[in-house]
Structures are given as C-alpha cells and as structure tokens.
Amino acid sequence: MPPSSANRSPFSDWRTRKTTNRLLQAIEAETRHLSASLKLMEVCGTHTMTLHRSGLKPLLREAGIEMISGPGCPVCITPDYYHEAMIDLLSSRDNILACTFGDMTRVPTRKGSLQTIVPKQGSQIKIVYSPEEAMEEARNHPEKEVIFFGAGFETTIPAITFTIKKACQERLKNYSLMAAFWLIPPALKAIVESRELAINGFIYPGHVSAIIGEKPYAFIAEEYHLPGAIAGFEPADVLLGVLSVVKQIRSGQPRVANEYQRVVQPEGNVQALALMDKYLTKEAAIWRGLGVIPDSGLRLKPEYSDFDATKRFSLQLQPHRVKKTACRCGEVLKGLVGPAGCPLFGRNCRPDSPQGPCMVSYEGACLIEYKFSGAKHHG
Amino acid sequence: MCLAVPGKVVSLNDNGTGWVDYLGSQVLVNFSLLPGIKIGDWVIVHAGFAISRLDQKEARRTLKLFQELEKQS
Ligand code: SF4
C-alpha cells in the first residue's frame, strides 16, 4: 500500500526551520539574562539522536545551553559480564536458543561478542524485534531451551514481562528470561548525588515517561531543586523541553513539566506498571560507568524463578576485574567526557570495529556523534 | 532502544493484537498493555507493543502553539 496522506503522521510538520528558529529565539531570550551558560542533560539516547540529526546541538550552544548525553542507552549501560554469561552458556551447552535485540549481539567483551562466538552444536543466537518472537520460538521448538536476553528501560520492560505472563498461562516449560532491566529515576538520583557534574536540569525521556508518568521524577525538583521537562522526539519537542527548563531556572521554581502530553499521561501507563509490579522486584544493580545504584534494577520475583534464566542455568552474574582498556564509555555515560574525548574515537573505534558498547548501539553517544559529526574523516 | 513510533490502528483481532499502519506499511502490534484501543486511534509502538495512545487533541494544541510562534517571527 502506498503512503496515503490520510495516514500521514500529524506531526511531520514539526520539523520546519521556522518553528525551531522561533523556539531557539525564545530560549535565547531567557538565557540572555543568565550570567553563565547552562548544562542540561538529555537522559535518553533517542533525544541525543534528535539533537544531532537536526543540527540543534551547536545552535543550542550558541544560545547558552550545553546539552550533555546521559546514561539513556540500555545496551551501553549493561555490563560486559551479562554478555559473557550468555556467551559461556551458548558455547558450553547444546540446544540453547538465545534471542535478543540486534545491538546486543555486537557488544565487544573480552570473550568476543555474541555475534562472533561459535555456539556449541545445536545452540544458536537469534536476533528478534519483539520479545514475542522469542516466545514463538519456544512454542515451535519444544526441544530447545529458549532464552530471551533482554536489556531495557521502563519503555521495554513491560513488553518483555508480558511474555512471562503468557509463558505462565501457557505453562511453557522451555522459555526463560535473562533480564538486564534498568530503572531511570534511581540512575538520575545517582548522577545528581555524585556531584561529578554540575547539571542545571534534565530533559526526561519521553517513552520511559509514557510508562512511568510524571511522579517518579518529582524528587529531583523537590529534594535537589533541579528543573526538568518530559519531552517528545521531534526537534521542536526537544526545544520545547529546553525552553521549559530554562523558564523554570529563571523563575526559581523547579518542577516536572510535561511537554509531551500528547503521549505521556501524568500517571503513566497503569496497565504496564501493574504488570511490572506483579512479576518483578527491585534490586541494587550495577550500571556500566555509574556503578552500584540501589533499587535501580528489576528481576523476576522468586515465585516466577522457573522463568529466570540466571536461576535455571545457574548463571554467574558477577562483576569481574576488567582489563583496563582505553574505552571511556563509562565516563561518556555519566556525561563527564564527550565521545571525542576518547582517544580511540574514530581511530580504533568505529561502527565497523566498535571497542565499546557506546559505538555499537544506535542510541550510543559515540555512534551518534560519529554518524553526525563527520568523524568518518577523522583519524 | 526506546525509539517508538506513532502509527494508526487499522484493524483489530480478537486476541489482543491488531494491525497498525505506518505511512503505508502495516505491522502486527500487541495491544495488551493498552486496553480499549479502537480502530482509527493513533498509538506509540515499541518492541511490538503499543505502549501509549497519542492524544490527537493534545497534538493539535501543541501544533497550534508552534504555528503561533511562527506567526510572531
Ligand atoms: S569511542 Fe569507542 S572506545 Fe571510545 S568511549 Fe566510545 S565506544 Fe568506548
């Protein structure tokens, strides 16, 4: 079916130069009164992409705003030992069918990547687009142990958790989950508390917020007096978020603004939250770069441990002493250095030979910067 | 990974799934996380699941705001 104008997204008009220019002027009119430039963190990798693709980053800099990418890329913050546990399992056992999202297969570890290793005969890795495809594999291959290796934030967690609900209902005996589930608000708290970076405000991730709503960010305004705005993903959406944060700074009244009301309900997606609540429980988790953060991870509750791959296969998810490499992903994820601050960027580390996850994921700050900054001509 | 795109619901199956149209190409989507979906609704889809409804009234309000901004220049 050809594209029909009736089905055209009603938002394609939001990219016009005129709109973004007017918003930039409005932002500039606010920052003009401030003595120093502002540092705002865009938490989500998809926002980083919007900012680069639309060329807004340098324009915002001219308007007195430095945008810093945050930890919002699940592939990037998942530590290597998750991949290594999966690699060990695939190379030592028969009949394992491990399913995962595409980017996850390319993350380089000291044991190789899921894409480069040779699984034991009868075992394999498969790229899927939806966790439901993994479940379908389990239904079709009762002789295989199907594992979904899923990394995600609140946006993705409900979809993956739904497959556990289904697997329970269908009494699927050969389906399990290796969850690398990460929660955004505790990570923001860790960033603010570490004080390594003086951030003046946040652009909150739009689709994480579609699930969790506005309230989980309230402590950032109330306890830390930092402003923030939930924003959508069109260039004008991001600018609207920035404008709101700048206005909050000038008025001295930080809050959680919702500039993506067409998608984000104040209470989030109640159905999805209830599903998470029923099957998952919070735990301290280790983020690449950020370290241990209390209550920032989710795993299956003990009553569903039959579906927990780490239990079923006694996987050891222990941090190991990592060989020091020059990769600075950890600092990139904290916003302490930009990708260009890494000595490998554009030289040894390129999309065709990534040295760290931030160059693998399409939401990774290094890959985004490489794609849009002309770093191809670099090094 | 949190990339999620708006599409329009064009048909509903009775098992909680349905077809969503993105600029002409149609994709099977699971609506289990978003009850009460109707044909013609706009939804945001992520990893095969509709995670949120797109409120057309809100969308038009923001669009109008932008148009007003443009007029001011
Ligand atoms: S450029 Fe490559 S090596 Fe450097 S921080 Fe980014 S991913 Fe790591």
Side-chain angles (χ1 to χ4, degrees):
Chain A
M1 205 168 86
S4 74
S5 56
N7 284 344
R8 221 175 122 215
S9 159
F11 321 104
S12 2
D13 303 332
W14 294 17
R15 291 181 193 166
T16 67
R17 239 329 131 203
K18 221 166 159 193
T19 311
T20 46
N21 282 346
R22 266 306 292 156
L23 282 162
L24 279 164
Q25 282 166 20
I27 290 167
E28 215 270 320
E30 298 284 335
T31 52
R32 200 180 296 152
H33 305 282
L34 297 167
S35 52
S37 69
L38 297 172
K39 274 197 178 123
L40 306 189
M41 177 174 275
E42 90 271 7
V43 177
C44 171
T46 314
H47 278 149
T48 308
M49 206 141 71
T50 302
L51 283 164
H52 275 88
R53 191 164 40 205
S54 58
L56 284 178
K57 234 178 127 109
L59 296 175
L60 277 166
R61 192 173 294 138
E62 276 168 34
I65 295 187
E66 192 66 44
M67 296 302 296
I68 296 164
S69 332
C73 159
V75 176
C76 305
I77 52 98
T78 301
D80 283 359
Y81 55 86
Y82 282 78
H83 301 266
E84 291 178 8
M86 195 47 78
I87 287 171
D88 286 343
L89 186 67
L90 277 165
S91 36
S92 64
R93 274 189 65 144
D94 308 324
N95 280 329
I96 300 282
L97 174 52
C99 299
T100 191
F101 296 129
D103 288 359
M104 291 291 279
T105 64
R106 297 184 56 231
V107 173
T109 75
R110 51 179 193 164
K111 297 188 174 180
S113 72
L114 284 165
Q115 207 174 63
T116 58
I117 54 132
V118 183
K120 200 150 180 237
Q121 212 170 5
S123 289
Q124 70 174 103
I125 181 99
K126 190 182 156 115
I127 293 176
V128 295
Y129 297 96
S130 161
E132 284 202 299
E133 288 172 52
M135 234 198 352
E136 193 57 23
E137 292 290 340
R139 290 189 193 108
N140 295 340
H141 298 282
E143 76 290 358
K144 299 238 184 228
E145 278 288 347
V146 177
I147 304 172
F148 185 69
F149 177 22
F153 294 132
E154 291 91 334
T155 321
T156 323
I157 294 170
I160 299 175
T161 308
F162 179 79
T163 64
I164 298 301
K165 178 181 169 180
K166 283 298 265 192
C168 283
Q169 284 170 352
E170 295 177 24
R171 295 179 202 283
L172 257 184
K173 290 267 179 278
N174 63 328
Y175 179 72
S176 61
L177 167 67
M178 171 141 155
F181 288 173
W182 314 98
L183 300 174
I184 288 290
L188 300 185
K189 185 176 165 98
I191 287 175
V192 175
E193 289 211 326
S194 83
R195 293 181 203 283
E196 286 179 293
L197 192 67
I199 301 227
N200 302 107
F202 288 104
I203 301 299
Y204 297 128
H207 292 140
V208 162
S209 307
I211 301 293
I212 68 175
E214 300 167 4
K215 210 165 147 225
Y217 307 109
F219 73 93
I220 295 177
E222 286 159 14
E223 290 168 35
Y224 301 101
H225 309 289
L226 285 174
I230 297 168
F233 297 94
E234 295 295 337
D237 280 324
V238 180
L239 291 178
L240 214 52
V242 171
L243 181 60
S244 161
V245 171
V246 179
K247 281 186 172 162
Q248 292 175 50
I249 290 172
R250 277 204 67 208
S251 69
Q253 285 174 330
R255 60 190 181 99
V256 182
N258 184 352
E259 298 294 347
Y260 195 29
Q261 288 188 29
R262 66 184 186 276
V263 166
V264 175
Q265 299 295 317
E267 69 283 5
N269 180 329
V270 180
Q271 194 87 4
L273 289 171
L275 185 74
M276 287 163 71
D277 218 38
K278 172 149 192 236
Y279 290 91
L280 307 170
T281 177
K282 282 184 187 165
E283 63 178 358
I286 305 181
W287 297 49
R288 187 192 302 273
L290 301 179
V292 183
I293 306 176
D295 285 340
S296 68
L298 287 172
R299 65 180 160 82
L300 285 170
K301 285 186 177 168
E303 52 266 47
Y304 305 107
S305 61
D306 285 353
F307 298 100
D308 188 337
T310 55
K311 301 262 160 52
R312 195 186 291 201
F313 303 101
S314 313
L315 301 179
Q316 293 302 319
L317 286 183
Q318 288 297 330
H320 49 65
R321 298 263 290 264
V322 257
K323 202 169 101 244
K324 263 262 180 244
T325 73
C327 172
R328 300 185 72 180
C329 266
E331 289 149 279
V332 170
L333 289 164
K334 280 198 279 193
L336 293 181
V337 295
C342 169
L344 302 184
F345 179 74
R347 298 187 174 88
N348 308 40
C349 186
R350 293 190 307 269
D352 55 358
S353 60
Q355 303 297 312
C358 304
M359 189 59 92
V360 169
S361 169
Y362 68 85
E363 293 193 313
C366 299
L367 180 64
I368 294 171
E369 178 127 344
Y370 188 91
K371 275 212 258 183
F372 294 104
S373 73
K376 319 172 198 34
H377 313 295
H378 193 94
Chain B
M1 202 157 279
C2 295
L3 195 67
V5 264
K8 194 175 183 178
V9 180
V10 288
S11 71
L12 292 171
N13 307 327
D14 43 18
N15 62 352
T17 67
W19 292 88
V20 169
D21 184 288
Y22 302 102
L23 306 172
S25 58
Q26 301 199 346
V27 178
L28 188 65
V29 166
N30 191 318
F31 293 122
S32 304
L33 301 175
L34 206 62
I37 283 295
K38 293 186 294 297
I39 290 176
D41 283 351
W42 282 81
V43 288
I44 299 281
V45 178
H46 173 75
F49 284 75
I51 57 164
S52 182
R53 219 177 249 98
L54 205 149
D55 182 333
Q56 299 245 50
K57 223 165 70 201
E58 258 320 308
R60 275 193 292 269
R61 200 184 63 85
T62 315
L63 207 54
K64 215 167 123 209
L65 182 96
F66 290 153
Q67 281 156 359
E68 275 158 22
L69 273 173
E70 287 194 9
K71 272 188 226 131
Q72 287 171 28
S73 54

